[in-house]
């Protein structure tokens, strides 16, 4: 018989579509006994492998449970804007591409259900693709002129895609909507989607990185929780103290370290030490081989050298964010990590401000948007969807009430701060956004080329095959020719 905990774990693993082999790997990594793993497999409808030549079981495998949402369908179902564009007189279909985790995609389905009730002649076909596969998939579709009507776009790809003509400008649509109010958007949220005097996407979020922490691990060690007095030296000290154990039972003090393949790396990891990756905002000079940048990265590397962060092997086949599985004491994440953590964590947790560095108190400010593509067959219907999806009501319904947080609209923030799904420390997300969040992140059209060139080099540091200094020199040599176009 499975325990309640094992049934919950089985439901979560099954919802993520994991294979029997992946479930076994996760069970081993997180210290489940063989009996518990067998129980979880059974609850997932997957029988443990039998030795010998016994007959195959005659009981059919259990059917996959219908996914359920954490959220009430009707909560927040009010205040929808009127549309200047009339609904189509005949039924049309629009395709909308997302990159949600499994937990949050259930909320997306709820929004679409209510939208189609309000607009019976607009049929919404949602496409959900894992984030790691998303960009490659839609680059391929763009080459075949087969993009969906509306698509998600992360800040780091936006300028590249806009420059390559993948999207339609939205200014004319916005001008027709008397209540749209661009002034309601946080200033940082619009930066990555403007080009040539036009707005090409509407942001749904823009938020800072905060420090998530496992309260149970802190309590067991008798260490006070992070607070506003913390600096990065304190973060390192506590991360090392909380790192303990070996093998599948090991507790890691910190969940991740900087990578030069990450477009968000500069504000939380380099700027606190007075360093930069690229000169912002033009990104026309690479500064990663300067002494202050090398010294900052070497400072962070000490945590890896002392085993305080998981290796890539430790995280293989572990769903994002790995913090939710209870073996990581602290992690740096945006508020958007909240839904899967709330769904998966079996421990007490909260968030705090990202600690200050010796030179500055900085964290990143980043977000994503939705665009209407050049290939849309029904752009007016697509705009009606976008106008409601990214209205105050829409951002409250999707990102406020759910506790996912960091809505791009100022008017939607109260719904997040008052959400029962937001962590108690949600006020620190707003505080960070107002005081220390920097949009000096890599978002020029050359950005994807920069991170794709730098990432494999930095992987050699992670693997212990290059020193930090050697990697910084190699990244400079690879990146400088790429960004030469930004100097023109």
């Amino acid at each position: 018989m499975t325990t309640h905990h094992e049934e919950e774990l089985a439901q979560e693993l099954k919802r993520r579509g994991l294979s029997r082999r992946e479930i076994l790997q996760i069970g081993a990594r997180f210290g489940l006994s063989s009996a518990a793993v067998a129980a979880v497999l059974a609850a997932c409808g997957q029988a443990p492998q039998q030795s010998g030549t016994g007959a195959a079981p005659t009981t059919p495998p259990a059917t996959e449970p219908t996914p359920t949402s954490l959220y009430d369908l009707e909560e927040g179902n009010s205040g929808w804007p009127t549309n200047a564009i009339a609904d189509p007189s005949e039924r049309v279909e629009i395709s909308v591409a997302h990159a949600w985790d499994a937990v949050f995609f259930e909320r997306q389905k709820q929004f679409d259900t209510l939208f189609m009730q309000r607009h019976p002649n607009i049929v919404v076909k949602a496409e959900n693709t894992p984030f790691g596969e998303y960009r490659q998939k839609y680059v391929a579709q763009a080459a075949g002129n087969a993009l969906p009507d509306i698509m998600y776009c992360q800040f780091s790809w936006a300028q590249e895609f806009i420059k390559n003509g993948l999207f339609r400008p939205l200014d004319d649509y916005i001008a027709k909507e008397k209540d749209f109010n661009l002034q309601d958007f946080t200033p940082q949220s619009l930066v990555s989607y403007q080009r040539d005097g036009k707005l090409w996407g509407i942001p749904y979020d823009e938020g800072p990185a905060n420090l998530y922490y496992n309260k149970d691990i802190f309590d067991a060690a008798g260490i006070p929780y992070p607070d506003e007095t913390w600096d990065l030296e304190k973060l390192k000290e506590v991360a090392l103290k909380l790192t303990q154990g070996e093998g599948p039972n090991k507790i890691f003090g910190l969940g991740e370290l900087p990578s030069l393949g990450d477009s968000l790396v500069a504000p939380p990891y380099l700027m606190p030490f007075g360093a930069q990756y690229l000169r912002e905002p033009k990104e026309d000079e690479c500064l990663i081989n300067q002494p202050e940048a090398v010294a900052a990265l070497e400072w962070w590397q000490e945590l890896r050298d002392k085993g305080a962060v998981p290796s890539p092997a430790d995280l293989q086949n572990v769903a994002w964010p790995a913090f939710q599985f209870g073996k990581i004491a602290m992690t740096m994440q945006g508020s958007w990590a909240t839904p899967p953590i709330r769904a998966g964590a079996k421990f007490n947790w909260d968030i705090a401000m990202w600690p200050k560095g010796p030179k500055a108190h900085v964290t990143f400010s980043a977000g994503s948007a939705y665009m209407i593509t050049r290939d849309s067959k029904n752009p007016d219907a697509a705009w009606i969807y976008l106008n409601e999806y990214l209205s105050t009501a829409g951002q409250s319904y999707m990102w406020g009430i759910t506790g996912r947080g960091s809505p791009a609209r100022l008017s939607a923030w109260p719904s997040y701060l008052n959400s029962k799904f937001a962590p108690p420390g949600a006020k620190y997300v707003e505080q960070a956004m107002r005081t220390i969040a920097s949009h000096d992140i890599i978002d020029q059209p050359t950005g994807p080329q920069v991170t794709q060139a730098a990432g494999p080099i930095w992987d050699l540091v992670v693997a212990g095959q290059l020193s930090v200094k050697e990697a910084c020199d190699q990244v400079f040599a690879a990146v400088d020719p790429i960004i030469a176009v930004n100097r023109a």
Side-chain angles (χ1 to χ4, degrees), residues 358-428:
K359 299 287 188 181
H361 195 185
V362 194
T363 189
F364 70 65
S365 169
S368 297
Y370 278 83
M371 293 30 187
I372 298 177
T373 75
R374 65 171 189 211
D375 299 333
S376 174
K377 303 297 189 297
N378 296 291
D380 284 356
W383 171 253
I384 293 171
Y385 182 94
L386 212 59
N387 188 41
E388 296 191 12
Y389 191 50
L390 301 176
S391 65
T392 299
Q395 293 200 11
S396 297
Y397 188 87
M398 290 295 299
W399 298 282
I401 289 168
T402 60
R404 188 179 176 97
S406 303
R409 283 187 178 272
L410 293 166
S411 56
W413 271 85
S415 65
Y416 167 59
L417 296 172
N418 296 322
S419 169
K420 63 185 178 183
F421 294 105
K427 63 183 180 181
Y428 294 118

Side-chain angles (χ1 to χ4, degrees), residues 30-49:
F30 290 99
L32 294 180
S33 67
S34 58
V37 171
V40 169
L41 284 168
C44 283
Q46 300 190 37
Q49 288 183 340

Side-chain angles (χ1 to χ4, degrees), residues 187-389:
Q188 302 102 314
S189 69
L190 298 171
V191 172
S192 296
Y193 317 110
Q194 297 169 322
R195 189 174 182 86
D196 299 329
K198 298 179 180 179
L199 185 64
W200 302 83
I202 307 298
Y204 66 81
D205 73 349
E206 177 78 16
N210 283 77
L211 184 67
Y212 286 68
Y213 59 95
N214 183 321
K215 297 172 74 172
D216 292 356
I217 293 177
F218 273 78
D219 289 345
I223 296 176
Y225 304 145
D227 61 27
E228 293 181 53
T229 68
W230 271 40
D231 58 18
L232 291 177
E233 288 292 347
K234 183 69 172 181
L235 175 76
K236 178 186 272 190
E237 172 193 331
V238 173
L240 291 171
K241 285 182 179 178
L242 293 177
T243 299
Q244 54 188 294
E246 298 293 338
N249 294 317
K250 182 170 182 177
I251 300 296
F252 295 97
L254 193 62
E256 58 284 301
L257 288 179
S259 166
L260 298 186
D262 179 4
S263 53
L264 297 169
V265 68
Y269 294 118
L270 298 176
M271 291 169 63
F273 295 89
Q276 276 280 14
Y277 190 168
L278 305 179
R279 189 178 301 282
E280 298 291 347
K282 293 184 177 181
E283 297 172 14
D284 54 0
E285 183 178 0
C286 184
L287 304 170
I288 201 60
N289 63 342
Q290 296 299 302
E292 57 271 24
V294 174
L297 292 169
E298 288 175 339
W299 186 93
W300 288 107
Q301 180 66 16
E302 290 174 6
L303 285 163
R304 176 174 289 113
D305 294 340
K306 295 180 180 181
V309 294
S311 69
D314 293 318
L315 298 176
Q316 188 177 9
N317 296 321
V318 176
W320 173 86
F323 175 77
Q324 68 182 293
F325 294 105
K327 300 296 183 180
I328 293 172
M330 297 178 284
T331 187
M332 185 194 72
Q333 299 288 344
S335 68
W336 41 83
T338 296
I341 291 173
R342 181 168 286 281
K346 309 304 179 202
F347 55 87
N348 296 304
W349 59 277
D350 204 351
I351 60 177
M353 293 278 279
W354 183 245
K356 55 182 172 288
K359 299 287 188 181
H361 195 185
V362 194
T363 189
F364 70 65
S365 169
S368 297
Y370 278 83
M371 293 30 187
I372 298 177
T373 75
R374 65 171 189 211
D375 299 333
S376 174
K377 303 297 189 297
N378 296 291
D380 284 356
W383 171 253
I384 293 171
Y385 182 94
L386 212 59
N387 188 41
E388 296 191 12
Y389 191 50

